[in-house]
Each structure stands twice: as structure tokens, then as C-alpha cells.
Amino acid sequence: MNHTPADQPQPAPTADAPRNGYTINGKLYFAEPQPGQCLRTFLRERGVFGVKKGCDQGDCGACTVWLDGTPVHSCLMPAFRAAGREVTTVEGLAPPDGSLHPVQQAFLGAQAFQCSFCTAGMMMTCAALTDAQKEDMPQALKGNLCRCTGYRAIADAMHGRAEIAEDIAGEACGASVPSPLAHAIVTGEARYTMDVAMEGMLHLKVLRSPHAHARIRAIGRDRAMAVPGVAAIFTWEDVPRRLYSTATHEDHLVDPDDSYMLDNVVRFAGQRVAAVVAETEAAAEAACRLLEVEYEILPAVFDPVAAMAPGAPRIHDERGEERGNIYADIHGEIGSVAEGFASADAVHEMTYSTSRVQHVHLETHGSIAWQGEDGRVHIRTSTQAPFIAKQKLCHLFGLRPSDVHVFTERVGGGFGGKQEMISEDLCLLAALKTGRPVQWEFTREEQFIGATTRHQMTTRVKLGARRDGTLTAIELHVVSNTGAYGGHASETLGASLGGPMTAYRCPNKKAAGYAVYTNMVPGGGFRGYGSSQTAFAIECAIDELARLLGIDPFAMRRKNMILPGDWIESAWNDPSDVDFGSYGLDQCLDFVEGALAKGGGLPKPEGEEWAEGTGVALAMLECGPPTEHRSGAQMRLLPDGSYHLAVGSTEMGNGSITSHRQIAASLLSARADRIAIVNADTDLAPYDTGTFASTGTVVAGQAVRMAAEAMRDSILGFARRHTGADCRLDDNAVICGNERVGLAELYAIGTRAGHHFEAKRKSYLSLRSVAFNVQGIRLAVHRATGEIRILHSVHGADIGRLINPMQCRGQIEGSIAMGIGWALTEQMVYDAEGRMVNPALRNYRIPSYADVPPTEVFFADTYDRIGPLGAKSQGECAINPVAPAIANALADATGVRFPHLPLLPDRIFAKLAPHA
Amino acid sequence: MNLNTITEVKRPQSADQITQWRPGYAWLAGGTWLFSEPQFGTDTLIDLQGLRWPALTPSASGLEIAATCHIAELFAFSAPPEWRAAPLIRDCCNAFLASFKIWNASTVGGNICMSLPAGPMISLTAALEGVYTLWPRDGAPREVAAVDFVTGDNANILAPGELLRSILLPASALSKRFAFRHASMTKLGRSAALIVGTQGEGDLLLTITAATPRPIQFYFPEMPPATALRRAIDARIPADGYFNDVHGSAAYKRHLTLYFAEQIRAELAAA
């Protein structure tokens, strides 16, 4: 027998010996991973939740950890290879003395994050870079994707530029104070939807249809049920046969009730067919593969124009013969475009199209549902609309609202993709049927094939103008491909016929729009929401018309753009509730023109194959949706003299918890960090329609303003009665005459006297203001390779008063980056059977660090009389002028109009004139 | 991602210990592709790491690269100055869509055996006249020219269980002058065309990769004129012989190929 005394060195393990010691952030774990397990899930099973899943395929870098000090993507690393080695995650980055690693400090100082889901991986990469690598950040960071920031703030962090402002009492509004969660974010402590472990958790997986259109004849589940660990299987026969829409809006009638939780007809490739819950994801997956589904293949149609033709395959039979596949059509005319075109000296008419794209929020969809000891159901989820999700769940399952609790902790990006209830329902179904907690986390592939997308739209534009450039008629014809389901179809169609046409004064406007069912993945809400698509068409067309007339693109826009005092209208005669709370479009145009003229950015690359051009485009946004939207906020003074603020809206990287605190702090003359905030929780916060449609500031922020004012009045009212003097707030105290009373003391006195230091207010959206964005681009295009390089990007934003300038800039930059992706690289490609060819980030390219140039951002000096504290919507509209500005610059450079997105080299090279 | 169908990992000390090969087995090198997609047909991984092949062995005859050499190790290789084509190593590494962090795990052999059109280690080794040593499961090792290894998109000449052991880049090829051209539809993205020309004494060896499903090589004993080069390419690669995918249409890749081939010809002819 081999005996080694304990005080002697242990023999080095041979390769055959069990080597199951794993050192994670300095702590030794003994465990045996599953044979095919990757390091990412092995770490998360040990509670190391700072390691994120963005793609699980090595493309996004969110899971970056160090193995013996070397950075690797832990999703690709076999877990067993970490045995006997040291793993460092974001939780182990900081020195043990409680200080921060310099990279954490730098990310904190530059606030180099928004939703922050990428941040841990980004920091673990940046902290491992050599000096030489830091010289080439595009190359060094090509394995780290951020969908929110546009990378400028990350570049700032790497260059040691800090931007955060001091949190000074009474000066919170307008200061670049950091996110209240900033420290938790850089240390990896911030918890996202899936970052919890629960006893007895079951895992849910769905089988998705390989067919674009089929009837399900039968589903054999015996073999699947026999997989060890499978707890339950659900098909269309097991769910409430109740129609609903997955789209979330205050008014549920704006979306068609055309979906079942699980259906016996599948209408797009990727639609869920059956759900399996099991003890492990592996068992659930295995069972999904063993389900025997008998499909009756039905004819499919993918093109909306073909789908409108008589005899086209019917997507939704129950809608009646007459309406066919047209879900919604909208028509309107003001004046007479026929007369307008007759009086025009020049007419431009062209068909433009924009592509279907995915949101690619780094955190995929996911939910966890369980029945609590309180007898209620709880759903922890990644949503932009927890309150509407709750309503829909009550509708589907016949539950009482008081028995359902829906909440988010931190949401890793949304962009409209989470204005949709597509993971909560099945988790709740399974939790109710099994009595156990159930979690379901989408894969990245499922995000592409089974979530929602921006509506693909084809827009025919016809513009007429007189010789001097004055528009005489605008006519739009839009066909929107809403895919298999109609959520957001009519609202995005309405938006497509709104803002972009409203931005121009013209007595004669006509619009016709059709949203059409096809067998494609459904459209949904997406930043820009229909307006992006037609802004592309109209802003390109304005340039073409200007070119016909020999008029400068800026002059053309100034001649026709909407001005204060104008009646705000697109093609409808109905009055609207939109007004100029402020106006800064003129300032934005002036800035962009001046900045482009001044130079800046990169010079044109060497070589005669490079052609250079500049382009501009503008966009107008109605601040908030035309549909109903409401929000509530409540505040309490706490016994220690600090404040508690509860607001229903969602924080998903939009920065609302930061700005809402600032609004309240400024009204309470307090430091922002004296206000604790909870949000997006149906138990803990007042009702909120949801954080979408540019409402985080103008609706939820408005509710916070009103609640904070009421809180202030409550405190000062009591203090005045108590002291008999005039009082004012000063951070943690009231000053009454010459006396300073601490808020904790005042609280104690007031509470004893029966005073309630609390306030609750609700806000509703009407009147709505308008915001503006102008994008300028100078680019170079290589006439042989078709490569486009953006040399200079400038942006003017009229978003009213900046509650947090750093955050506002970040929102604009993130929007621009997303616009660049839409314009240049992103495309969802489908085969002839309607299956997506490239549902992975390596094949669907969202902008990386290398793709996004810095942008000079200018803010118009405006103060809105409608929005809270002078602010307007900021996160959404900046995307709209980006693609047309790029297309206009490309047309300027080449003399060729490319009317279809994306402007990928293989789509444009053939039309580029050969070099001399 | 977790490979949930895997039930066993074999960790041999020597390739000989894997005597029986059956469907469901897969050699595991860096794992950066294997772990990036579900592998439903695979139940057993055979880890090559325990074989401990030396990554890089330079000698007078050239550079021997173990199949298990990490991309990061290859990138860091410091070549003697007389190997004038050695900078091509870094050019090809930089042509990876994958970042340096992937390079810390992924291997030269893994990239070659994946046999994707845009595999830059295929480009590198084909252009530098590499010779692969293959270890069949039974039978003697065999050698094959790099340019003949890949037969199509994600297809090669390996028999089931056959192992790529090493790549020899001959010193003669490493000593040549070279010209490199590369394009991707996205910044630092996957290659749409990766084309290399090398030149010994007045000749031209042109290697076309990424644009075509497999490497295509042209040898001209003397530098051809532009028209002859173009004719030769068109004769060998029909318009539909280019690789059509989301990283570039076939027409675009043909266009790039002809454009870059002529640039390479002109560059090497001018020297």
C-alpha cells in the first residue's frame, strides 16, 4: 500500500489520477464537471455569476475569464481543462484589499457601460492586454461585442479619461453622476435575470419548427418522456386555447390576438412547437430531439407583395377571406398630391427598402417562474414591460392579478426586443403544472429564429418640388412584412407614415401603408419603430430631389423642414396631441454642416480607388407613442433621513434609474445617492406601461418629478407647521429660518405627530413634444473592394435639457452604432424554405469596436416646456438619420444611389465605377 | 457551450492508445469550434492535449508546426531573417475573425481540419507549400501537400479517425518573397478573399483561398503578363466555382480574386 505522510509533499498527479481541484478566484473547489461541459457553466454552477452568456459560441466575449492569467472565452473552454489551474473571473479581478483594479476604476470613471452585460468580459479582456495590444484596440477588442455604448466610452476608459461628476446636493440634474449600480457592475455583483440559483430548479427547452408553414398532425412524446430527468412535456394540447398577442402595449387592442402559447399550426421556421421541462438542460434538449412531430407541410409565402396577391397561401385562416394576409392598411391624404406633382418642376420617385434585423441585446430572453410560499406565482424575467406581462399572464392562465408577481432585477439590453412576452408564459405554465421553479434561457440562435425583429419595409417615395426647392407633394407607399404574427405591425406602420413625413412642411401629402402577414419570423418593436425605415427612404429621396434641382442638401432641408408654429401633420387631417415643447432642429443642422465643413475625423485613405463623399439626414421624433402610456412613482422619506423611490419603469441600460434619481434629487435639493431606487417590479413599484416608445424620461420621469415635488411639499409643509418658519430642503436636512433640522429627526418628529412622509403620483402622456436628430457623415468607399470607411461622424441632437449629459451622449452614440450596423453590416439571410442561414454572431455582424468611429455629438440648447425639467426623449431617435446619412454620403462619393440596405460590399461593388 | 451529448472524454498519452475508432468520436484540440455549436452526432471527445507535441520546431529544413500548436504560439514565433515569407504567419493570424483570446485556445490543426474556405491556417500552409503529416488509425503515416488536403467547404481527405499530426513549412518556401492581399466584408471580419503570391527566382506561385471552397494554386515558372494570369484563373475557376455565403457572394469573391491576383502579380513583378 502506498502511504505518503501528510507532512511530505504530495506526488504530482499523473494524468490518470483524478484531478478535480479547481481554483476559482483563489478559492479551491473540488468538483467533477460533466464530460462535455464548458467552463462558463461550470463557473456559474459554483455561483460565479459574473461570467455571462452573450452567445455561448465564442463570438461576443461576455464570458471572458483568465486561465492561469491568460484570457479565454470560457464558453469554448472544456471545463476539465481548468482542473489544477487558476481561474480568474471579474469577481476576482480586484485586489483583496477592497480597492478596485485599475481597469475597473477606469470603467467606473468613464461609465463605460450601459446595460453592462458585456462589461465583465470587456474588463477581463482589457485588463489582460499588453501595451502593444492597447495600441490597436480594434484588433484587441474584436472578440468583445457591446450593443449599447458604441464603444466610445470603452475607448475613454482605456485612455484613462474619466467623465463622472461629483454628486452635489441640489445640483444633480444636469450633472454626469454615475449609475447607482456602477460599483456592482464593475465588480460583477450586479445580478441579471439568470444570475440566481434556486433549489429544485427545472429547465425548460422548446422544440422549434423546421418548417415555415405546417399543420401539426400529431406529436409522439413517448420516447421523449423516457429520457431520464424529464418532468413534463407540453404541446398545443396542453395549453389554454386562448388567443393573445406577445406584443406589449398599454392598449392591448392595438395588437392582434393572433397567437396561442403553443399552436397546432406553425407559421414560421423557428416557431415553438413543444416545451420540455427536465432536471437538466441536457435532458430537456435530448427530449426535444426525441419528440416525434408529424407535420403536414402547407404552402408558404415570404414576400409581402406576393402574400397580398389573390391566391396566396393564407397565414391566418380565421381572419376571413376578404382581408387576406393584409393585417393592417392605413391611408391618408392632405391637400392633393396630384395637384402638387402637377405644379412641380422636378419629381423624384424611387423604391427604397430596409432589411430585417435583430436587436441582439447581449442578455438573451429568459425567465424564471415559481410558486412561492405565499401562494402566489413569481416571475423573474428580462422584460421592458413587467406590468403588461403580468396582465397577459393573468389573461392566459386565468389568474387573479394579486396572485402574480413579475419583476426584473437587471436587464441586459432591450432595444424593443423585450417589449414582448415570449419566455414568461411557458415558464409559468411549467411551474404551475410541476409545482417547481422553472427557468428558460434563450440561446443566441433562438434570439434570431424565435424572437422578434425590426419590420422589413419597402417604401416607394415620390417627391415633387419647385425649382427653388419648395416641396409641392410627398407621397409614400409602404409595405411592411410583419411576418407570421402581427404584434407591433399597425403601430410601426403608423409610425412609418408619421415622423419622417411630418418633418417636412408641404401642403400635399399622401400615404398608403400595408402591414402584411407572411411566413417569416415576426416583426416587433425595435428602436426607431417604423420611423427608421421610412426616414431612410425619405431622407435619401430628399437628397435625390436636391440633386435633380442642383440644390445643396442642407439648403434643401432648411427650405422645407418643419418650423416652430407649423401645424404638425403627416397625411392625416385629424388633430394630434403633439406640439413644440421646444425646437432645436435648426441648431442641429447648423452644427452638422459646420462640423463637416470644418474637417475633423480621418483623412481620405491614400490611393485613387478611394472615393469620398459627405451626407446628411435629419429625423423628427414625437416624444412618446400616440397610444396610451402611463407610469407611476412613489417616494418615502425613511427613518434615517434618506429617500426611497419606487418607479415601475425598467432599467435595461437606458440609464433611467440614474436619471430618475437625478430628477428626484434635484427637486429635493439632495445628493442623488441619498435616494434608493427600486423599479420594474409589480409588487414593489407603481404601475408602469413599460419602458419603450421613448417614454423613460417623458412619462416615467414625469411621474418621478411629480412624486418628488409632492414629497418635497410634504416635508416642507410639515416642517413649516412644526417650526413656524419658512423652510427649504438642503440635502439631508431642512433649513427653517435659522434652524437646521436633520431629515432623520424631522421624520421622527413628524411620524410621532401622525404625519406621513410619502407621496405617489401618476403621469400620463399627453401633450407630447418633438425631438430632432441630424446626422452628418463623411466616408470613403473603395471602388474595387466596395469597402466603406466612415471618416467623420457628427451628430446634432435636440433632446431638451440634459438630465445626465454623459448618459445622453452614451444613448446617442449607442444609437448611432446601431444605425451603422443596420446600414452597413447586419442582414438576416434566409434560404428558399424560409430558414435563417446565419443565426450566429459570427455570421450576423453587429458593430464591433472596429466598425464604430467616434462621433462628435452636439446638443441643441433647448429647454422643453412639456417634458420633465426641460428634458425630452433621447434614447430612440438618434438611430433614424444614421443609415440615410451614410447612404447619402455613398451616393455623393460615387454618383450612384443604393436604395437597399445593408450597403455590404458584395451588394454595391458591381455598380461602383472602375478606377481610372 | 455545453456539449450535452458527450458522455466521455478520453485523455490518451499517445495516439496509439486510441485503437478503435467509431462514429461519435471526435478529436479535441483547442475545442474552439467543437464547443461553439451543438455536436449531436458526437458522444466521445479524445483530448489531444495529453500528447504533448512540441508546438514549433524550426530547423534547417523548415518549420514544423504541431497540429496542436496554438495560434497564439504561432503568432509569437520569431523567425530567422532569411525566412522572408515569415511575416505571412502574422498576416494570416490577423485574418482570423476570431480574437487573440480564441488564439490562446485554438490550434493550427484545428483550423485546418475544420476546412472552412476562410481558414487562414489553410491559406498560410498552402501558400508556403506546406506538407501535412497524417496519422491514419491503422497504417503508416502519410504525407500530403497542404493544397490538396481540403476538398471543399468543411470537407477534407481525412479518413475517419485519421489525425493531422503536423505541418512542415519548407525552408525553401519560407525564404521566398511574398505578397498578401486580403478582404473582408466587415472590419477585421471573416475573409472574403485571402490571396498570397510567393516568388523564388522570377516565378510566381499564386494561392487563392477564402474566395473558393478549397485552396486553388497556380504556378508560373515565369511571371505571367496580366492577361495570361487572368485567363488562367478564369480557365481554372468558373464563375460559379467561387464560394457563395453570407461573407460574400460568389460574384464578389471572383471580382476580388481577379483584382488582388493582378495586384500581387504587379507587386512581385516590380521587384
Side-chain angles (χ1 to χ4, degrees):
Chain A
M1 187 175 155
N2 188 358
H3 179 79
T4 309
D7 57 346
Q8 294 296 308
Q10 302 292 312
T14 68
D16 294 329
R19 296 168 61 217
N20 62 351
Y22 292 77
T23 306
I24 303 169
N25 298 324
K27 205 169 151 191
L28 186 60
Y29 295 80
F30 289 96
E32 195 63 50
Q34 295 298 311
Q37 187 166 21
C38 68
L39 182 58
R40 180 186 72 77
T41 63
F42 182 75
L43 293 169
R44 288 178 60 87
E45 282 176 6
R46 318 259 95 65
V48 185
F49 290 119
V51 183
K52 301 299 185 220
K53 184 205 80 176
C55 67
D56 221 11
Q57 299 186 278
D59 297 326
C60 78
C63 68
T64 303
V65 303
W66 298 346
L67 202 51
D68 288 341
T70 300
V72 295
H73 290 200
S74 62
C75 69
L76 298 182
M77 179 58 61
F80 70 81
R81 285 204 175 148
R85 300 170 75 182
E86 279 188 35
V87 181
T88 310
T89 74
V90 65
E91 288 94 338
L93 184 58
D97 64 4
S99 64
L100 292 176
H101 183 281
V103 163
Q104 291 173 311
Q105 196 62 56
F107 271 64
L108 194 72
Q111 295 281 289
F113 42 75
Q114 285 175 25
C115 90
S116 320
F117 201 76
C118 73
T119 307
M122 198 70 79
M123 290 191 305
M124 293 308 289
T125 305
C126 288
L129 296 179
T130 63
D131 286 344
Q133 284 178 309
K134 287 179 196 165
E135 295 297 306
D136 187 2
M137 288 303 290
Q139 183 71 252
L141 282 188
K142 74 177 176 180
N144 288 80
L145 297 174
C146 168
R147 190 56 153 169
C148 297
T149 64
Y151 301 98
R152 188 273 312 163
I154 294 165
D156 272 8
M158 291 309 288
H159 289 97
R161 290 189 286 264
E163 204 176 344
I164 52 174
E166 202 181 336
D167 182 8
I168 298 169
E171 294 177 20
C173 194
S176 294
V177 301
S179 162
L181 289 175
H183 192 271
I185 287 163
V186 299
T187 54
E189 288 156 15
R191 288 283 167 265
Y192 293 78
T193 311
M194 308 315 288
D195 295 344
V196 291
M198 289 179 78
E199 260 328 286
M201 185 86 83
L202 291 174
H203 298 264
L204 189 148
K205 283 280 172 188
V206 299
L207 175 70
R208 294 185 179 276
S209 170
H211 305 296
H213 200 187
R215 191 179 312 279
I216 295 169
R217 285 209 186 110
I219 301 180
R221 54 177 94 182
D222 294 351
R223 291 175 65 211
M225 272 310 289
V227 173
V230 169
I233 294 174
F234 306 104
T235 71
W236 70 277
E237 292 168 301
D238 305 302
V239 301
R241 193 73 177 162
R242 196 164 292 178
L243 283 166
Y244 71 112
S245 171
T246 61
T248 61
H249 280 106
E250 174 70 34
D251 178 356
H252 70 93
L253 296 176
V254 303
D255 299 300
D257 287 337
D258 57 8
S259 303
Y260 292 109
M261 281 174 62
L262 294 167
D263 202 348
N264 63 333
V265 176
V266 286
R267 297 180 175 83
F268 66 99
Q271 182 167 340
R272 54 205 205 179
V273 170
V276 178
V277 280
E279 301 293 338
T280 62
E281 268 194 358
E285 275 177 22
C288 281
R289 290 197 295 277
L290 291 173
L291 284 167
E292 292 164 312
V293 186
E294 195 182 319
Y295 294 101
E296 173 193 344
I297 310 287
L298 301 172
V301 59
F302 307 114
D303 174 60
V305 174
M308 281 195 278
R314 296 290 305 282
I315 317 294
H316 290 275
D317 281 337
E318 65 281 7
R319 290 164 38 83
E321 202 59 43
E322 197 179 311
R323 298 192 64 194
N325 290 320
I326 298 172
Y327 162 60
D329 61 304
I330 304 178
H331 306 268
E333 183 169 13
I334 58 164
S336 162
V337 292
E339 286 174 22
F341 288 120
S343 67
D345 295 313
V347 172
H348 163 75
E349 184 171 7
M350 192 178 258
T351 298
Y352 298 85
S353 73
T354 59
S355 54
R356 170 180 293 99
V357 285
Q358 224 283 323
H359 313 76
V360 193
H361 31 72
L362 261 268
E363 182 196 43
T364 60
H365 283 279
S367 303
I368 302 172
W370 70 96
Q371 291 177 278
E373 287 171 2
D374 56 4
R376 304 162 70 222
V377 292
H378 303 267
I379 298 101
R380 175 187 174 95
T381 188
S382 190
T383 182
Q384 294 175 231
F387 293 86
I388 305 283
K390 170 177 162 168
Q391 291 176 350
K392 285 186 185 275
L393 294 172
C394 289
H395 164 73
L396 281 175
F397 294 96
L399 295 168
R400 293 186 309 172
S402 57
D403 289 339
V404 181
H405 172 213
V406 179
F407 69 105
T408 74
E409 188 163 344
R410 189 165 174 81
V411 175
F415 314 114
K418 293 171 181 171
Q419 191 187 345
E420 209 78 38
M421 190 187 74
I422 56 174
S423 61
E424 294 85 351
D425 54 338
L426 288 179
C427 287
L428 180 53
L429 173 78
L432 289 171
K433 295 274 175 107
T434 63
R436 291 177 53 185
V438 175
Q439 77 166 47
W440 179 24
E441 184 179 20
F442 273 38
T443 64
R444 183 53 61 187
E445 180 182 28
E446 286 183 295
Q447 287 296 140
F448 284 109
I449 68 169
T452 56
T453 64
R454 186 186 292 284
H455 286 81
Q456 188 280 322
M457 291 190 190
T458 301
T459 305
R460 194 171 74 234
V461 190
K462 189 174 176 187
L463 300 180
R466 287 201 294 272
R467 205 156 279 122
D468 68 353
T470 307
L471 287 171
T472 58
I474 305 177
E475 186 173 357
L476 274 193
H477 180 277
V478 176
V479 176
S480 168
N481 187 340
T482 190
Y485 296 94
H488 302 279
S490 61
E491 294 308 293
T492 51
L493 186 65
S496 78
L497 303 174
M501 190 152 55
T502 308
Y504 291 98
R505 5 165 47 183
C506 179
N508 307 301
K509 296 176 179 176
K510 187 175 180 182
Y514 300 85
V516 185
Y517 283 123
T518 66
N519 293 110
M520 297 299 294
V521 66
F526 195 139
R527 191 184 227 164
Y529 206 72
S531 287
S532 314
Q533 289 92 321
T534 49
F536 174 72
I538 290 179
E539 289 302 306
C540 288
I542 289 281
D543 260 41
E544 287 298 303
L545 188 58
R547 191 176 352 176
L548 276 177
L549 292 163
I551 296 175
D552 170 77
F554 284 93
M556 185 74 186
R557 286 177 171 81
R558 287 201 181 90
K559 182 105 195 165
N560 294 291
M561 70 193 191
I562 192 167
L563 296 172
D566 284 346
W567 186 243
I568 298 174
E569 64 180 356
S570 62
W572 288 271
N573 287 302
D574 313 339
S576 85
D577 65 345
V578 180
D579 199 358
F580 293 98
S582 53
Y583 181 85
L585 175 57
D586 50 347
Q587 294 177 48
C588 293
L589 261 183
D590 289 351
F591 164 77
V592 166
E593 186 176 31
L596 285 176
K598 206 187 300 169
L602 300 169
K604 178 173 167 265
E606 300 272 317
E608 56 189 21
E609 286 104 334
W610 289 100
E612 187 179 35
T614 60
V616 63
L618 62 79
M620 172 174 171
L621 175 84
E622 294 171 359
C623 299
T627 46
E628 312 308 303
H629 208 105
R630 57 199 174 94
S631 190
Q634 59 194 40
M635 288 204 78
R636 277 184 293 135
L637 181 64
L638 300 177
D640 68 356
S642 68
Y643 297 100
H644 175 85
L645 168 63
V647 56
S649 67
T650 299
E651 169 65 58
M652 52 185 164
N654 48 337
S656 61
I657 57 171
T658 313
S659 58
H660 290 165
R661 270 196 348 165
Q662 289 178 266
I663 290 170
S666 87
L667 292 164
L668 294 162
S669 305
R671 281 183 293 125
D673 76 0
R674 298 195 57 76
I675 298 166
I677 184 167
V678 298
N679 70 316
D681 186 313
T682 64
D683 274 5
L684 302 178
Y687 180 87
D688 175 276
T689 298
T691 303
F692 50 81
S694 291
T695 54
T697 298
V698 299
V699 189
Q702 194 74 277
V704 171
R705 175 189 68 80
M706 293 191 291
E709 283 175 353
M711 180 82 258
R712 178 193 64 196
D713 294 348
S714 165
I715 295 169
L716 294 181
F718 175 78
R720 199 177 300 118
R721 289 196 299 279
H722 176 65
T723 63
D726 272 349
C727 302
R728 64 181 172 85
L729 279 161
D730 180 31
D731 197 21
N732 59 350
V734 281
I735 295 172
C736 300
N738 294 325
E739 191 187 356
R740 183 181 176 94
V741 185
L743 286 178
E745 185 188 346
L746 190 77
Y747 177 91
I749 299 165
T751 305
R752 275 198 301 276
H755 187 77
H756 287 259
F757 291 99
E758 21 186 28
K760 177 174 180 173
R761 291 293 184 271
K762 296 177 193 172
S763 90
Y764 178 72
L765 186 63
S766 189
L767 198 59
R768 295 179 290 146
S769 189
V770 289
F772 297 96
N773 295 76
V774 180
Q775 176 71 39
I777 290 281
R778 180 169 57 84
L779 58 72
V781 57
H782 194 281
R783 290 181 180 280
T785 65
E787 180 188 355
I788 291 172
R789 289 188 193 168
I790 297 175
L791 304 174
H792 195 198
S793 169
V794 298
H795 188 100
D798 170 28
I799 58 175
R801 185 185 181 193
L802 310 179
I803 290 172
N804 186 314
M806 171 182 61
Q807 248 184 217
C808 292
R809 185 176 163 204
Q811 287 291 310
I812 302 282
E813 290 167 332
S815 261
I816 293 169
M818 207 171 246
I820 288 172
W822 191 43
L824 295 181
T825 65
E826 294 177 39
Q827 60 172 351
M828 299 175 79
V829 180
Y830 291 84
D831 68 13
E833 276 74 50
R835 297 182 190 113
M836 191 178 173
V837 172
N838 57 336
L841 291 175
R842 68 193 56 176
N843 295 324
Y844 176 93
R845 175 62 173 265
I846 67 167
S848 74
Y849 193 104
D851 295 287
V852 187
T855 294
E856 290 175 37
V857 180
F858 162 84
F859 293 108
D861 181 14
T862 55
Y863 186 98
D864 201 73
R865 67 180 168 80
I866 297 171
L869 305 182
K872 301 196 269 192
S873 301
Q874 65 219 246
E876 180 148 22
C877 187
I879 194 174
N880 289 349
V882 176
I886 291 172
N888 286 340
L890 182 62
D892 183 49
T894 62
V896 183
R897 170 59 60 182
F898 293 95
H900 308 295
L901 294 182
L903 304 170
L904 276 165
D906 68 344
R907 294 161 57 102
I908 67 170
F909 81 95
K911 285 189 183 165
L912 300 173
H915 63 285
Chain B
M1 62 178 64
N2 288 345
L3 300 181
N4 290 322
T5 53
I6 304 298
T7 54
E8 187 188 1
V9 179
K10 293 182 188 294
R11 305 180 73 179
Q13 305 295 294
S14 149
D16 303 338
Q17 292 170 355
I18 305 301
T19 50
Q20 299 294 314
W21 189 269
R22 62 166 174 81
Y25 277 18
W27 296 112
L28 171 66
T32 54
W33 178 77
L34 271 178
F35 277 75
S36 79
E37 291 183 12
Q39 307 290 344
F40 297 136
T42 305
D43 57 34
T44 303
L45 299 178
I46 302 163
D47 188 12
L48 295 173
Q49 214 166 42
L51 307 186
R52 306 199 175 280
W53 295 332
L56 293 165
T57 315
S59 71
S61 59
L63 178 63
E64 187 184 310
I65 307 167
T68 48
C69 172
H70 291 139
I71 305 301
E73 294 173 293
L74 181 65
F75 185 81
F77 175 67
S78 172
E82 62 272 20
W83 287 358
R84 289 185 297 177
L88 192 56
I89 292 174
R90 289 196 169 196
D91 286 340
C92 287
C93 290
N94 283 325
F96 269 108
L97 170 65
S99 82
F100 81 98
K101 290 177 290 175
I102 306 289
W103 302 359
N104 289 329
S106 63
T107 64
V108 176
N111 184 248
I112 291 170
C113 293
M114 263 304 290
S115 301
L116 297 178
M121 295 299 101
I122 300 164
S123 313
L124 173 73
T125 54
L128 292 181
E129 304 162 51
V131 177
Y132 297 169
T133 297
L134 310 182
W135 283 1
R137 277 305 80 226
D138 32 38
R142 59 172 178 149
E143 290 189 344
V144 60
V147 73
D148 295 327
F149 178 81
V150 177
T151 54
D153 176 26
N154 200 14
N156 58 44
I157 62 164
L158 286 175
E162 191 171 23
L163 198 54
L164 170 61
R165 165 64 185 85
S166 62
I167 302 103
L168 178 71
L169 302 181
S172 55
L174 279 163
S175 304
K176 290 183 175 180
R177 299 176 57 246
F178 78 100
F180 169 88
R181 292 292 185 281
H182 170 247
S184 164
M185 295 229 292
T186 57
K187 308 277 179 268
L188 308 176
R190 181 170 286 181
S191 306
L194 195 168
I195 303 183
V196 179
T198 60
Q199 187 183 38
E201 297 301 323
D203 60 348
L204 172 67
L205 183 69
L206 184 77
T207 308
I208 294 167
T209 62
T212 48
R214 50 165 299 184
I216 306 279
Q217 208 162 49
F218 297 85
Y219 182 67
F220 300 91
E222 286 173 22
M223 188 59 73
T227 48
L229 177 63
R230 190 188 167 103
R231 262 202 313 274
I233 293 172
D234 276 345
R236 180 97 173 270
I237 314 172
D240 62 358
Y242 291 86
F243 187 63
N244 192 65
D245 74 346
V246 298
H247 302 285
S249 66
Y252 177 63
K253 289 176 179 172
R254 173 173 182 268
H255 168 78
L256 287 179
T257 298
L258 296 171
Y259 175 71
F260 286 149
E262 169 52 22
Q263 283 196 341
I264 287 169
R265 188 202 65 82
E267 181 180 323
L268 292 176

